[in-house]
Amino acid sequence: LSIKFKIKQINLELGDILLGYTDGVNEGKNPMVIYFAKALLALIEQSVTSVLELVERLKEHLFQYIAEAPQFDDITMLSIH
């Protein structure tokens, strides 16, 4: 299996937010083994006033989503504004 990646460069504009996260975030599973990915995209599209608000919102929703399901991977998020 060979995966090819493209390298691109963008300029962040005033007010832009850059969010990085490990696969433990988008692949967080609820007790019915459904991934968090779709919910993550919906949450990212909502407006926020700060990166702290964004990360806290994602963390809160992710842990509610996972509930009592076992965590199988690390959960790490980094956001800059």
Side-chain angles (χ1 to χ4, degrees), residues 23 25-30 33-39 65 72:
D23 61 345
V25 175
N26 62 306
E27 294 178 357
K29 299 176 192 173
N30 67 9
V33 193
I34 299 172
Y35 291 114
F36 185 67
K38 286 185 182 179
Y65 189 84
F72 76 98

Side-chain angles (χ1 to χ4, degrees), residues 4 8 10 13 15-16 26 28 30-31 33 36 45 50 54 56 58 61 65-67 72 75-76 80-81:
K4 295 185 181 198
K8 293 189 176 190
I10 63 165
E13 302 293 332
D16 285 350
N26 62 306
N30 67 9
V33 193
F36 185 67
E45 291 175 348
S50 71
L54 174 62
E56 287 297 323
L58 294 176
H61 281 82
Y65 189 84
I66 292 172
F72 76 98
I75 294 174
T76 305
I80 60 171
H81 182 240

Side-chain angles (χ1 to χ4, degrees), residues 16-70:
D16 285 350
I17 294 176
L18 176 65
L19 174 68
Y21 54 86
T22 59
D23 61 345
V25 175
N26 62 306
E27 294 178 357
K29 299 176 192 173
N30 67 9
M32 296 180 303
V33 193
I34 299 172
Y35 291 114
F36 185 67
K38 286 185 182 179
L40 174 65
L41 291 175
L43 290 167
I44 291 172
E45 291 175 348
Q46 295 176 10
S47 64
V48 293
T49 58
S50 71
V51 292
L52 180 59
E53 179 187 346
L54 174 62
V55 171
E56 287 297 323
R57 179 188 299 166
L58 294 176
K59 181 178 86 170
E60 178 183 329
H61 281 82
L62 176 60
F63 287 131
Q64 286 176 1
Y65 189 84
I66 292 172
E68 300 300 319

